[in-house]
Amino acid sequence: MTAGLMVTPLDGWIAGRTGAADGCMTRAELEAYQLARLNATIAQVRHMSSFYRRHFAAMGANGLTCLEELADYPLTTPADVMEYAGEMICGSQGDISRVVTLTTSGTTGKPKRLYFTSSDQKLTIDFFGCGMSTLVGPGDKTMILLPGERPGSVGELLFQGLLGIGARPAAYGLVQNLDDAVRTMCREEAVCLVGVPVQILAMARYWENWGKNSWAPKCALLSTDYVSAAIVSELRRIWDCEVYEHYGMTEMGLGGGLECAAHEGYHLREADLYFEIINPASARPCPDGEYGEVVFTTLTRQGMPLIRYRTGDISRFIVEPCPCGSRLRRLERVYSRQAGRVYFGQGRPVTMAELDEVLFTLPGVVDFTATLITAGQAAELTLVAEVLPEALPLDKSAILFAVRQLPAIRIAEQEGRLALTAEVACRLSLAPGKRSIRIVDQTGKEAQSAG
């Protein structure tokens, strides 16, 4: 363990959850717990879920003798959830306290519905409280810039988790008015901000131009979308604050993993989730350290367990020990999705994350949209950078120069397969969801989104 660096609090929390003696957990003890929970979960869904009874019909009934045998079970996909969510519920509808509906990109995709019991949500509250203790302590004012109006929403669960560790949560909601959000942050003297990366970046850039208050947050937790190194760098430059990243999705029960103070990957929520990295093409497990698609299985979910659920996220397990000394597995920062890559001909792909890295370094940029218009072998990429009205004027040529730093774009343009256009807009959409490259055909019909 690096001198002065505390072990992530998730270690002790998970040790307590797994029943480790004296709160000290070995890797072998954790994996024995996971094996037992996997067998219990598989038995649960076979008994209570008509979908999984069919899905596992070809599998033996003897259970797993080791963790590696889980790889022989079929994967569960987002398409399965769209089509059969009701058949995945374990127990009665009366046990369900929260239903979350997720719309899909494009015009024809069915929504996904996820079902949670009150005990499922209590586990998320506990995870949020433990994770936030990395950033804040008793009495620290924490501004929650996430939806929290409905019971069981992410903001409300985070509010409860912060109360549980003695912090002082301030529910604000998604940022819609930068002036009000920044003034509220300064008036409340918020020590910590939790919210959407582009929204917190917009607040920081506004605060920098506003220049009417010396108060600045000491830390920030970025969630709900991929986090670019450029955004982290800008927040540190403007506020001189510590920036943490959270990994999670609704299907995971909102919480999946969190950085520690070493900022070298997400420590995973291994008491409630079992993670795998698979080859996206063969669907077989990747050796530790190799990149592949993140797959998870719920270990403690009651309402709607998910077995070997494909996230589409591309990452790898970090094999080197964490400087904090944790025994938990770590996932490298997630920067792209398997379906989030845009190809120009046979060249290397471009991702939204790569565009983030080159465009968020430009002065005043708080967000941007990317639209790819396809027409046979040719394509046109239009970038619209959103800037603060108070910021220094941004020349379109700066946008084009920035994106041409990406080899795939530069080569495709040189070969005549791609045309680039850029615009600057003094509008602030402050989009709260996952951002993506919008792909349309030459008639304007949307084909898909990649991000």
Side-chain angles (χ1 to χ4, degrees):
M1 183 174 75
T2 301
L5 193 63
M6 294 187 63
V7 177
T8 173
L10 291 175
D11 262 47
W13 180 71
I14 289 176
R17 293 280 313 284
T18 60
D22 301 322
C24 296
M25 170 187 60
T26 66
R27 190 70 218 171
E29 288 173 329
L30 177 55
E31 290 178 357
Y33 162 88
Q34 291 178 321
L35 180 62
R37 289 306 314 160
L38 282 170
N39 278 321
T41 299
I42 290 171
Q44 174 193 13
V45 299
R46 275 182 153 161
H47 176 63
M48 305 181 77
S49 161
S50 58
F51 168 80
Y52 278 112
R53 273 197 297 275
R54 292 194 310 272
H55 206 47
F56 295 161
M59 306 304 300
N62 295 328
L64 307 173
T65 61
C66 63
L67 294 174
E68 289 73 21
E69 290 177 0
L70 183 64
D72 296 328
Y73 278 70
L75 294 157
T76 303
T77 68
D80 292 330
V81 175
M82 292 176 200
E83 192 69 32
Y84 303 111
E87 298 179 35
M88 293 181 178
I89 298 174
C90 291
S92 70
Q93 287 279 356
D95 297 328
I96 302 299
S97 62
R98 172 74 169 159
V99 181
V100 181
T101 301
L102 303 176
T103 56
T104 56
S105 60
T107 57
T108 60
K110 291 184 178 181
K112 286 185 287 187
R113 288 188 172 84
L114 289 307
Y115 298 83
F116 302 94
T117 66
S118 58
S119 63
D120 295 335
Q121 294 196 293
K122 177 62 167 60
L123 291 175
T124 297
I125 291 171
D126 290 347
F127 171 75
F128 281 171
C130 177
M132 287 303 299
S133 68
T134 304
L135 288 77
V136 296
D140 287 338
K141 178 64 71 72
T142 302
M143 192 171 174
I144 304 174
L145 302 160
L146 296 169
E149 299 82 8
R150 297 181 180 180
S153 60
V154 60
E156 197 266 339
L157 297 179
L158 180 57
F159 191 99
Q160 296 298 324
L162 286 162
L163 285 179
I165 62 171
R168 293 191 299 151
Y172 184 84
L174 292 169
V175 177
Q176 300 180 26
N177 182 305
L178 278 179
D179 183 75
D180 182 72
V182 171
R183 288 179 185 274
T184 301
M185 177 190 77
C186 295
R187 182 179 65 251
E188 297 288 334
E189 297 188 339
V191 171
C192 178
L193 305 180
V194 183
V196 180
V198 293
Q199 295 199 346
I200 292 183
L201 173 66
M203 287 179 63
R205 292 209 190 279
Y206 185 90
W207 178 93
E208 186 177 31
N209 286 304
W210 185 42
K212 296 179 180 178
N213 196 298
S214 60
W215 179 263
K218 295 179 174 58
C219 60
L221 176 64
L222 307 182
S223 187
T224 77
D225 199 1
Y226 304 124
V227 181
S228 73
I231 288 181
V232 173
S233 177
E234 282 296 278
L235 293 179
R236 288 174 174 165
R237 178 188 67 79
I238 295 169
W239 281 331
D240 190 28
C241 70
E242 195 80 357
V243 182
Y244 292 82
E245 299 176 35
H246 167 259
Y247 175 60
M249 55 189 358
T250 303
E251 292 92 327
M252 291 178 186
L254 298 172
L258 183 69
E259 284 188 320
C260 71
H263 302 289
E264 294 188 10
Y266 312 111
H267 290 287
L268 296 173
R269 183 184 173 184
E270 292 198 85
D272 297 317
L273 301 167
Y274 178 76
F275 287 88
E276 302 171 79
I277 303 291
I278 67 166
N279 181 303
S282 69
R284 296 305 300 171
C286 294
D288 284 356
E290 287 191 8
Y291 288 95
E293 182 180 356
V294 180
V295 168
F296 73 87
T297 297
T298 60
L299 300 178
T300 52
R301 182 83 53 82
Q302 297 300 311
M304 183 180 172
L306 293 173
I307 313 294
R308 306 199 73 214
Y309 183 79
R310 300 187 72 154
T311 67
D313 292 335
I314 302 300
S315 186
R316 70 181 182 99
F317 289 129
I318 301 173
V319 295
E320 299 80 13
C322 182
C324 83
S326 171
R327 293 182 174 86
L328 299 177
R329 276 197 144 177
R330 282 179 301 149
L331 195 67
E332 189 175 271
R333 278 176 168 180
V334 174
Y335 282 119
S336 67
R337 295 181 60 80
Q338 177 65 17
R341 302 172 178 184
V342 174
Y343 290 85
F344 308 117
Q346 300 302 313
R348 58 175 288 183
V350 169
T351 66
M352 194 68 174
E354 289 177 305
L355 293 175
D356 283 355
E357 296 298 352
V358 295
L359 292 178
F360 281 130
T361 60
L362 298 177
V365 173
V366 295
D367 203 354
F368 65 89
T369 60
T371 303
L372 184 71
I373 302 174
T374 59
Q377 296 301 311
E380 179 181 349
L381 180 62
T382 299
L383 299 157
V384 180
E386 300 182 13
V387 299
L388 293 173
E390 302 85 356
L392 293 173
L394 178 64
D395 193 276
K396 297 177 185 178
S397 62
I399 301 171
L400 297 175
F401 179 82
V403 297
R404 284 173 178 142
Q405 305 311 301
L406 300 175
I409 287 181
R410 184 173 64 252
I411 294 170
E413 190 179 29
Q414 291 170 350
E415 294 178 350
R417 292 183 280 108
L418 179 68
L420 287 176
T421 61
E423 300 175 23
V424 178
C426 291
R427 68 167 186 254
L428 300 176
S429 60
L430 297 172
K434 289 188 181 296
R435 299 155 54 258
S436 60
I437 302 172
R438 181 170 172 259
I439 304 175
V440 300
D441 63 23
Q442 54 191 335
T443 68
K445 182 180 179 181
E446 185 162 348
Q448 59 179 309
S449 293

